[in-house]
Amino acid sequence: SAVISQKPSRDICQRGTSLTIQCQVDSQVTMMFWYRQQPGQSLTLIATANQGSEATYESGFVIDKFPISRPNLTFSTLTVSNMSPEDSSIYLCSAGQGAYEQYFGPGTRLTVT
Amino acid sequence: AQKITQTQPGMFVQEKEAVTLDCTYDTSDPSYGLFWYKQPSSGEMIFLIYQGSYDQQNATEGRYSLNFQKARKSANLVISASQLGDSAMYFCAMKLSYGKLTFGQGTILTVHP
């Protein structure tokens, strides 16, 4: 199984600022995913982070708001830009090597004031 | 389009008893995987069990078993001998061949002593 770490674990940010979340996997993986979980809601996929190419964004999410980097097969970052209180959520990084596995990092709990 | 439905917003169970959490899915893709995750109040997503669409037998992992009924498109999670530590949110999710997970709305399980 893959072990996934995220930094920071939580943060409180002012509106209008940006926060970059880091995700590290302990083994090489082809695809990494970024999810958002708004308070009391289920998980929603933001984008798939592809190594060597641009991220693939889901409907409702755009690169200007959530730029993603994937410099190698074990690391990715998600930036939440120009934050508003509506961006207050848990952001989760996910990865898995095969069709039968998908693991998650511990999440980043973001509060925007 | 694929869809996952969890119709039980909340479930209650007595300690040491078994409980079934319902999950139905919809996809036209013949190849898919079904996952169950546990999310305690800390926010982390803990992988519990996986069932592949071509698996002939129901998956089991310790106290967790997956009641897979392909014709009915259901993948219910059975937790045997419930413990107080099982109190959490539980998510059912489906993964198609291109890798991303689609989640249900979740079920909050409360275990009473």
Side-chain angles (χ1 to χ4, degrees):
Chain A
S1 65
V3 176
I4 303 174
S5 59
Q6 279 184 242
K7 287 194 296 187
S9 59
R10 58 177 62 230
D11 208 340
I12 301 173
C13 300
Q14 301 242 341
R15 72 168 66 212
T17 62
S18 298
L19 176 72
T20 296
I21 303 168
Q22 299 179 8
C23 177
Q24 180 77 52
V25 187
D26 70 343
S27 58
Q28 293 185 340
V29 292
T30 305
M31 289 192 287
M32 296 175 70
F33 304 89
W34 287 98
Y35 288 84
R36 179 176 75 181
Q37 186 179 26
Q38 295 177 300
Q41 303 294 314
S42 184
L43 281 74
T44 301
L45 180 65
I46 298 171
T48 304
N50 308 304
Q51 197 268 332
S53 64
E54 280 198 4
T56 305
Y57 289 84
E58 297 297 304
S59 176
F61 297 96
V62 295
I63 187 171
D64 289 347
K65 176 67 175 176
F66 298 101
I68 287 170
S69 78
R70 180 85 194 271
N72 56 51
L73 290 174
T74 64
F75 186 80
S76 178
T77 67
L78 169 75
T79 298
V80 186
S81 303
N82 188 25
M83 289 184 283
S84 67
E86 292 71 37
D87 294 320
S88 297
S89 298
I90 300 175
Y91 291 86
L92 294 129
C93 173
S94 177
Q97 265 299 45
Y100 53 88
E101 63 177 30
Q102 195 81 16
Y103 298 100
F104 284 82
T108 296
R109 197 178 291 265
L110 172 63
T111 302
V112 184
T113 61
Chain B
Q2 62 276 11
K3 188 177 180 181
I4 291 277
T5 303
Q6 294 178 254
T7 57
Q8 306 156 315
M11 287 286 286
F12 296 88
V13 66
Q14 207 71 26
E15 194 178 10
K16 299 180 185 176
E17 293 186 349
V19 63
T20 297
L21 306 184
D22 293 342
C23 173
T24 58
Y25 61 92
D26 189 22
T27 180
S28 56
D29 195 319
S31 178
Y32 53 88
L34 297 158
F35 296 74
W36 277 93
Y37 292 89
K38 172 184 178 182
Q39 187 180 43
S41 56
S42 60
E44 61 184 314
M45 292 287 284
I46 301 169
F47 167 75
L48 296 178
I49 197 166
Y50 166 84
Q51 179 85 43
S53 59
Y54 295 117
D55 293 344
Q56 295 296 313
Q57 293 190 327
N58 287 342
T60 61
E61 288 286 348
R63 295 188 297 111
Y64 304 108
S65 60
L66 201 152
N67 184 1
F68 181 46
Q69 298 190 39
K70 198 169 182 177
R72 293 186 177 184
K73 293 190 174 180
S74 74
N76 299 338
L77 177 70
V78 180
I79 305 174
S80 63
S82 296
Q83 302 171 357
L84 295 178
D86 293 334
S87 293
M89 175 75 88
Y90 287 80
F91 289 101
C92 179
M94 179 169 60
K95 182 177 185 177
L96 300 182
S97 56
Y98 45 85
K100 65 180 183 181
L101 284 172
T102 300
F103 285 85
Q105 305 92 315
T107 296
I108 299 175
L109 176 65
T110 303
V111 181
H112 289 303

